[in-house]
Amino acid sequence: MADISFRVNSKLFVRDPQHTDLGQRIIKHSIDLIDKLGFEDFTFRKLADQIESAEASVYRYFENKHRLLHYLTAWYWNWLNYRIDIATNSLSDGSLRLKAAIKVITDPKIEDPRFEFVNEVALHRIVVAEMEKTYLTKWVDNDNEEGLFWGFNSLCHKLSGFINIVSPGYSFANSLASTVLLATHQQLFFLIHLPGLSDMKKKDDLSVQHQQLQTFIEEMVFRTIGC
Amino acid sequence: MADISFRVNSKLFVRDPQHTDLGQRIIKHSIDLIDKLGFEDFTFRKLADQIESAEASVYRYFENKHRLLHYLTAWYWNWLNYRIDIATNSLSDGSLRLKAAIKVITDPKIEDPRFEFVNEVALHRIVVAEMEKTYLTKWVDNDNEEGLFWGFNSLCHKLSGFINIVSPGYSFANSLASTVLLATHQQLFFLIHLPGLSDMKKKDDLSVQHQQLQTFIEEMVFRTIGC
DNA sequence: TGACGGCAATAGTATTACTTTCAAAAATGA
DNA sequence: TCATTTTTGAAAGTAATACTATTGCCGTCA
């Protein structure tokens, strides 16, 4: 198996967690713990207990828990970006590429054996439930200057690039792309917690839900840009 | 001037703030303070200092600051709902009604003299910056059971009702409506803080920005539902 | 051997969200 | 108008949290 890892913005961490045993345990167990407790109830103390280390040791890898959330979501966006590359690089037709990208974004997430210490299924749940908290803060402008949103930005621009190839005259490719990325995850949140805000149904099984989601998003994109 | 007020879910407060002097001061100054400090840095202690009252007194009106945010956002959604009613009740054509509703949602917000102790311009900024925090919590399921999202739900269903009149066969009216309501506010956030995610430009003046926003949303809705 | 990086352990700080208690003030109502 | 009830203010207290600071140990590598 190829030994791959994403280059994430070094501002996201104090010390790169990918290169040490403790760092990898921090990533792995923080995903499990945030998924289990929710981000608010998650603390570095609880994480340290879980990995049988000390609170101060976690702070040597991440400045605070907010930056750790940044790191995890950035990793997720990079992962989607990478999977879109794989799914689209053999396709030459613009519409097919856009369609393939939407499929990667809306498909149910399964574990990716290429990344050992990341549970992608749990991480996807975290992104659905907590992602907006990366930017709904008073630090958003500073965080953006430091490039902490590079992963999301980059994915967004990949999508808007695809959109503009299919429909060069469309004026709102970035807005549509960001709306689509957010809506995809928000609709999954609504489906579970606020079902009146979505048309997908809880009772349907996962694959049916995601099929409906894909249809909703695909129709919205292709009709909006005029195809 | 007509003395009107919205009936909000009584679970939103401990004691109805609309009926007492202290309650009205809490509403007025909490809007100003949250707008100024952001929701995280806003505390009942600071609010009490501002209105020259006591922290415990504020707790007699709202169980906690999270419920106060619920109250303010619910008020905002009710306000939009009410203004959509006014803007559409003379229109009989479905497309025109939908268009008018979108205009109310995307138009710049100005102060509404019908509501004395609410600064709608500041409240709109709060909704743009903090709204998602009403449901991105571990209490979301309980809050939903208690009907705390009734205001947003109701607005969403009004919009999806309009959508279904224009296009009865469209299957995702609720999802499209919720996506539109969120996207409208999120794009305004991006425009200010993460401009790479939107196509509206900071340098444009307010009315141009909102004109672009309206065009973006209107195109998205009408093309998606097939008109 | 010894300098150094990495880690554990402990204690400590400032802030926050919220509660409790009690007395004073204001509104109410007979 | 006077007694009663309700509402408010003031002050203190509690538990949890996010984060910091310090110290000293252990293993590695020059």
Side-chain angles (χ1 to χ4, degrees):
Chain A
M1 189 184 309
D3 185 19
I4 52 174
S5 66
F6 302 126
R7 281 233 303 212
V8 295
N9 185 334
S10 67
K11 299 261 172 109
L12 285 165
F13 48 76
V14 180
R15 205 194 320 286
D16 193 336
Q18 282 180 305
H19 299 331
T20 67
D21 179 60
L22 181 62
Q24 295 178 3
R25 271 155 55 218
I26 288 174
I27 301 303
K28 179 172 162 48
H29 287 90
S30 66
I31 292 173
D32 292 345
L33 254 189
I34 295 174
D35 183 37
K36 188 172 151 199
L37 304 176
F39 184 65
E40 316 303 318
D41 282 358
F42 166 84
T43 69
F44 277 5
R45 181 171 299 262
K46 290 173 187 169
L47 174 61
D49 288 349
Q50 190 91 1
I51 60 182
E52 294 182 306
S53 177
E55 197 181 2
S57 302
V58 180
Y59 278 99
R60 286 208 189 79
Y61 283 84
F62 293 98
E63 209 176 318
N64 52 52
K65 69 172 188 168
H66 190 255
R67 289 265 162 146
L68 173 57
L69 182 63
H70 260 296
Y71 181 92
L72 296 177
T73 53
W75 194 97
Y76 175 83
W77 302 125
N78 285 338
W79 181 57
L80 283 193
N81 206 323
Y82 167 72
R83 290 185 52 221
I84 289 173
D85 280 344
I86 293 173
T88 59
N89 74 356
S90 66
L91 304 172
S92 51
D93 178 71
S95 285
L96 289 179
R97 285 170 73 132
L98 180 53
K99 206 167 277 192
I102 290 173
K103 185 167 157 50
V104 169
I105 294 164
T106 56
D107 262 355
K109 303 296 179 283
I110 55 172
E111 277 205 54
D112 190 331
R114 283 168 294 202
F115 306 97
E116 280 180 49
F117 47 93
V118 177
N119 176 348
E120 288 84 4
V121 179
L123 181 55
H124 178 242
R125 278 193 298 264
I126 292 173
V127 169
V128 166
E130 320 281 4
M131 175 219 119
E132 285 95 335
K133 292 173 187 169
T134 56
Y135 57 78
L136 294 176
T137 73
K138 60 182 163 181
W139 310 291
V140 57
D141 296 319
N142 178 62
D143 288 355
N144 190 36
E145 267 175 43
E146 289 190 24
L148 268 46
F149 299 104
W150 190 88
F152 188 74
N153 246 287
S154 161
L155 179 58
C156 187
H157 289 143
K158 169 156 292 164
L159 209 54
S160 69
F162 287 176
I163 289 169
N164 271 329
I165 287 169
V166 177
S167 179
Y170 183 63
S171 312
F172 303 106
N174 286 320
S175 290
L176 183 59
S178 56
T179 298
V180 158
L181 284 172
L182 292 187
T184 305
H185 294 82
Q186 276 158 352
Q187 290 295 316
L188 290 175
F189 183 90
F190 293 158
L191 159 65
I192 300 168
H193 299 291
L194 300 166
L197 303 180
S198 110
D199 299 285
M200 293 104 214
K201 291 298 157 225
K202 254 188 192 169
K203 58 176 162 48
D204 294 335
D205 69 34
L206 202 73
S207 71
V208 173
Q209 291 167 2
H210 282 261
Q211 183 52 55
Q212 292 173 316
L213 181 61
Q214 191 186 326
T215 306
F216 167 59
I217 297 291
E218 206 176 284
E219 278 184 9
M220 189 168 87
V221 171
F222 280 91
R223 290 179 181 174
T224 297
I225 65 178
C227 295
Chain B
M1 187 185 310
D3 186 18
I4 51 173
S5 67
F6 302 125
R7 280 232 303 211
V8 295
N9 185 333
S10 67
K11 299 260 173 110
L12 285 165
F13 48 75
V14 180
R15 205 197 322 284
D16 192 337
Q18 282 181 304
H19 299 332
T20 67
D21 178 61
L22 180 61
Q24 295 178 3
R25 270 155 56 219
I26 288 174
I27 301 301
K28 180 172 160 49
H29 287 91
S30 66
I31 292 173
D32 292 345
L33 253 189
I34 296 175
D35 182 39
K36 188 172 152 200
L37 303 175
F39 184 65
E40 318 301 319
D41 283 357
F42 165 84
T43 68
F44 277 5
R45 180 171 299 262
K46 290 173 186 167
L47 175 59
D49 288 350
Q50 190 90 2
I51 61 183
E52 293 182 307
S53 174
E55 199 180 0
S57 302
V58 181
Y59 276 100
R60 290 201 187 88
Y61 282 85
F62 292 98
E63 208 176 318
N64 52 51
K65 72 172 186 168
H66 190 255
R67 290 265 163 146
L68 173 56
L69 182 63
H70 261 296
Y71 181 93
L72 295 178
T73 53
W75 194 97
Y76 174 82
W77 301 125
N78 286 338
W79 180 57
L80 283 194
N81 205 324
Y82 168 71
R83 290 185 52 221
I84 288 173
D85 280 345
I86 294 173
T88 59
N89 74 354
S90 66
L91 305 171
S92 52
D93 178 71
S95 285
L96 288 181
R97 286 169 72 131
L98 181 53
K99 205 167 277 193
I102 291 173
K103 185 167 156 51
V104 169
I105 294 165
T106 56
D107 261 356
K109 303 295 179 285
I110 55 171
E111 276 205 55
D112 189 331
R114 283 167 293 200
F115 306 97
E116 280 180 49
F117 47 92
V118 176
N119 175 347
E120 288 84 4
V121 179
L123 181 54
H124 178 242
R125 278 193 297 266
I126 292 174
V127 169
V128 167
E130 321 281 3
M131 177 218 118
E132 286 94 335
K133 291 172 187 169
T134 55
Y135 57 79
L136 294 175
T137 74
K138 59 181 163 181
W139 310 291
V140 57
D141 296 319
N142 179 61
D143 288 355
N144 191 35
E145 268 175 42
E146 289 191 25
L148 268 48
F149 298 105
W150 190 88
F152 188 74
N153 245 287
S154 161
L155 179 58
C156 188
H157 290 141
K158 168 156 290 164
L159 209 54
S160 69
F162 287 176
I163 288 170
N164 271 330
I165 287 170
V166 177
S167 177
Y170 183 64
S171 312
F172 304 107
N174 286 320
S175 290
L176 184 58
S178 57
T179 298
V180 158
L181 284 171
L182 292 187
T184 305
H185 293 83
Q186 276 159 352
Q187 290 296 315
L188 289 175
F189 183 90
F190 293 157
L191 158 66
I192 299 167
H193 299 290
L194 300 167
L197 303 181
S198 109
D199 299 286
M200 292 104 213
K201 292 297 159 227
K202 254 188 193 168
K203 59 177 162 47
D204 294 334
D205 68 35
L206 202 72
S207 70
V208 173
Q209 291 167 2
H210 282 261
Q211 182 54 54
Q212 291 173 316
L213 181 61
Q214 190 186 325
T215 306
F216 167 59
I217 297 290
E218 205 176 287
E219 278 185 8
M220 190 167 87
V221 171
F222 279 91
R223 290 179 182 175
T224 297
I225 65 179
C227 295

